[in-house]
Amino acid sequence: MKTMRHLLMAGTVALIAPLAPAFAAPPADTLVVGISADASTFDPANISSRDNSNIAKHIFGTLYEVDPEGRIVPQMAESYVEAEDGKSYTYTLKSGLTCEDGEALTAEDVAYSFNRAADPANAFTGNTPGFVYSSIGFDGAEVVSDLEVKINLATKNPVSFGLIAEVFLHCKDSYEAMSLEDATAKPIASGSYRLASWDRGSQVVLEKIKDPGTFQNIIWRIIPEASTRSAELIAGNVDIITNVAPDQVEAVNTSGSATVKSVQGTRRIYVGFNMKDSFATGTPGGAAIQKTDVRVALQYAVDVEAICSQLLNFECKRATGLVNPPNDNENLQPYAYDPDKAEELLDAAGYPRGEDGTRFEINFQAPRGRYLNDANVALAIGQYLDDIGVKTNVELMEWASVYVPLIQKHDVGPMFLLGSGGGTWSALYDMADLSAVDAGTNYTEWKNPDWFSGWPEIAAAATEEEQRAVIDRMLEVFYNDPPWLMLYFQPDFYGVSNRVTFEPRRDEKVYLFDVALTK
């Protein structure tokens, strides 16, 4: 049997794979970025992952956007007015906006973009309908004038303005003329770049059609293996890479051709407990995690700090919930690593060890190559659970075509590794993953009424102090009846060629409009 120490150490000895250069160094008008996972769609209403969204942001504009400092600033709109009751926002667009094919982009197109994403006939499951709309209670968009559009909400929500800024805009006539299949692979751009080509599993090529944007071409190369990404960066074949493996930082920094830039990210890495009925009745492990006592017990089984230091090469403080510090509940202390307590709690919950040492068996699914050292993190967690008698079958899966569809349909699990993007500008933004029982991002299908009853109270709060009291109470509910096995906030390591200037953001948004050649 593998010991936990051996497994952790095994995750730290990967080397940069030797690689014969298959690509030439980029020309002066081209920026090449190496990412770990391919896009799954370019339909603006069905995009759900950060890598996919990062590419799409160069193709599609938004009304407003969040800048690197966390401020929400104008992009395709120039101003907005919030209704007194907080149940609508009216935006005034900039004049002269157009789409790739020359069609003018007006309030009619913005209203169409919002309403198309909400149309049940389209069955979209991306970030816009699955997260934004379920979080803000989207209630339709309407044209006020040629350059004014009104976004209606069912209730007042303090984070609505920031979430509306995540909806990609597109031109009505163009999209009404195409099928949903065409919209997936043949987007009509409203932003600075058009999709020139998409060689699935290999690369996405964007071509500039208007400002802003420094480079004429941006190539996003799909390089799942971290060692290969680092080798290509060092060889000068790519300019920027994401998710540099911790054990490859020194090699990059001593290469003379590139350096690693690190930031404390906002992505919440967690193990979800899928409480969907099909899992509750389908397997012993799926049935076991329906119990709060079992989910609490498993918190004590995993040494999160050791995973951070040994597999991610950084010192972390374990998360107490789904909110990034400093917006979390400061009264909550992270669950300690205490395997003896985990075993005691499992005994008390009715799951003693059997003659073979096993309490119950459970499947644990995880992506390979999407998050920082994710495969080894998943294997380590599986071993920790094995050590307390929970036989854990770890299944590593390809991200874009296999894992994402399972996540979107809430069919992953019954335990699953996931990283959910977060922010620093509002606790409510992070909490909005669980805005409603039927929210698309409630991947665990957790139903605790003490949590979900808090949202109307937040909307009705007259002061920030009243709102904060409800937030802290909800976070305590999450902590005591955890739908997640809480892990850490992922650090982000970017490799940057000496050829270009690039400063990473904390929120994983890789926006390349201002990247330039080094002078």
Side-chain angles (χ1 to χ4, degrees):
M1 175 190 290
K2 291 183 180 179
T3 66
M4 201 56 244
R5 175 177 174 80
H6 286 158
L7 186 57
L8 288 172
M9 292 303 293
T12 66
V13 297
L15 300 175
I16 292 179
L19 182 71
F23 292 83
D29 66 348
T30 300
L31 181 71
V32 181
V33 183
I35 57 177
S36 59
D38 198 359
S40 57
T41 179
F42 285 109
D43 190 309
N46 222 18
I47 293 164
S48 59
S49 74
R50 174 55 61 196
D51 277 349
N52 203 158
S53 180
N54 280 336
I55 302 173
K57 177 60 179 174
H58 296 77
I59 301 173
F60 301 106
T62 53
L63 289 169
Y64 274 62
E65 61 187 355
V66 180
D67 74 5
E69 285 71 46
R71 298 170 299 196
I72 304 172
V73 299
Q75 205 226 332
M76 300 188 87
E78 62 182 21
S79 63
Y80 76 99
V81 176
E82 180 181 0
E84 288 187 10
D85 62 4
K87 294 173 67 174
S88 70
Y89 290 80
T90 300
Y91 292 85
T92 299
L93 301 179
K94 296 176 180 178
S95 61
L97 298 173
T98 60
C99 283
E100 170 189 347
D101 57 0
E103 181 185 348
L105 192 152
T106 67
E108 182 182 25
D109 302 292
V110 175
Y112 170 79
S113 299
F114 276 78
N115 292 329
R116 175 179 178 270
D119 187 347
N122 294 325
F124 292 132
T125 57
N127 182 68
T128 294
F131 173 59
V132 173
Y133 287 178
S134 59
S135 300
I136 67 177
F138 175 71
D139 196 28
E142 57 185 288
V143 175
V144 177
S145 70
D146 195 44
L147 292 180
E148 292 177 295
V149 62
K150 186 178 181 182
I151 311 299
N152 298 306
L153 313 174
T155 60
K156 178 181 179 180
N157 187 318
V159 293
S160 294
F161 177 55
L163 290 176
I164 289 170
E166 297 193 5
V167 178
F168 292 126
L169 306 182
H170 39 294
C171 282
K172 179 181 178 181
D173 290 350
S174 303
Y175 275 80
E176 282 192 330
M178 70 172 74
S179 66
L180 291 179
E181 182 179 0
D182 282 345
T184 293
K186 301 174 182 177
I188 305 298
S190 62
S192 295
Y193 288 82
R194 60 177 287 272
L195 178 64
S197 65
W198 180 16
D199 183 3
R200 294 185 188 237
S202 178
Q203 65 180 21
V204 177
V205 180
L206 305 184
E207 181 181 46
K208 183 182 172 182
I209 53 178
K210 60 186 175 184
D211 287 331
T214 305
F215 288 90
Q216 183 60 31
N217 306 294
I218 300 176
I219 299 175
W220 305 77
R221 282 185 52 199
I222 317 305
I223 311 175
E225 291 298 328
S227 59
T228 306
R229 287 196 302 277
S230 295
E232 287 287 78
L233 176 71
I234 291 171
N237 297 332
V238 299
D239 296 304
I240 300 168
I241 62 172
T242 61
N243 292 345
V244 178
D247 59 317
Q248 295 164 12
V249 171
E250 183 178 0
V252 173
N253 283 337
T254 58
S255 68
S257 60
T259 56
V260 173
K261 296 188 177 184
S262 61
V263 291
Q264 174 55 65
T266 57
R267 181 166 296 275
R268 290 80 50 86
I269 304 294
Y270 67 91
V271 175
F273 298 111
N274 196 330
M275 289 169 269
K276 193 172 184 177
D277 290 343
S278 57
F279 285 116
T281 58
T283 64
I289 62 170
Q290 307 302 309
K291 296 184 178 182
T292 298
D293 290 349
V294 171
R295 300 197 303 273
V296 169
L298 298 185
Q299 307 289 333
Y300 292 100
V302 178
D303 190 346
V304 175
E305 286 75 13
I307 287 175
C308 289
S309 62
Q310 297 294 323
L311 297 182
L312 306 180
N313 198 27
F314 89 112
E315 301 301 321
C316 71
K317 181 180 180 182
R318 186 177 188 175
T320 60
L322 71 174
V323 172
N324 272 273
N327 299 320
D328 55 346
N329 184 334
E330 295 180 351
N331 297 318
L332 299 176
Q333 295 299 314
Y335 282 99
Y337 172 52
D338 189 341
D340 291 338
K341 185 168 185 176
E343 298 218 40
E344 291 172 7
L345 291 174
L346 288 172
D347 288 342
Y351 291 95
R353 287 181 182 264
E355 291 184 1
D356 63 351
T358 299
R359 299 175 183 277
F360 59 83
E361 185 173 350
I362 194 165
N363 289 337
F364 175 29
Q365 295 178 325
R368 181 194 292 274
R370 171 60 184 91
Y371 310 115
L372 186 63
N373 213 1
D374 48 14
N376 283 321
V377 168
L379 291 170
I381 292 169
Q383 185 63 54
Y384 277 122
L385 298 182
D386 281 348
D387 289 347
I388 62 163
V390 176
K391 185 178 179 181
T392 305
N393 304 313
V394 179
E395 183 180 3
L396 301 176
M397 309 173 80
E398 190 274 334
W399 170 256
S401 63
V402 180
Y403 205 69
V404 168
L406 290 174
I407 287 290
Q408 290 178 331
K409 296 176 183 177
H410 298 189
D411 284 339
V412 66
M415 287 177 59
F416 59 92
L417 182 72
L418 196 64
S420 181
T424 58
W425 57 277
S426 171
L428 295 174
Y429 178 82
D430 287 353
M431 294 167 65
D433 275 17
L434 301 174
S435 59
V437 170
D438 60 353
T441 47
N442 183 8
Y443 303 116
T444 65
E445 302 211 354
W446 186 55
K447 299 178 176 67
N448 191 306
D450 293 332
W451 169 277
F452 292 103
S453 65
W455 288 109
E457 295 182 54
I458 287 172
T463 65
E464 289 187 6
E465 290 75 15
E466 290 179 13
Q467 186 184 98
R468 185 69 234 188
V470 179
I471 289 171
D472 284 343
R473 190 189 75 222
M474 292 172 68
L475 294 178
E476 189 171 350
V477 170
F478 184 98
Y479 180 89
N480 290 324
D481 180 33
W484 297 0
L485 196 163
M486 289 166 266
L487 298 177
Y488 51 85
F489 301 99
Q490 177 176 275
D492 296 324
F493 299 96
Y494 295 87
V496 183
S497 165
N498 295 343
R499 190 177 88 104
V500 300
T501 61
F502 170 73
E503 292 299 326
R505 298 166 52 136
R506 280 195 61 196
D507 57 11
E508 288 188 318
K509 293 180 178 179
V510 181
Y511 295 170
L512 305 170
F513 305 101
D514 297 328
V515 176
L517 294 174
T518 304
K519 294 181 180 180

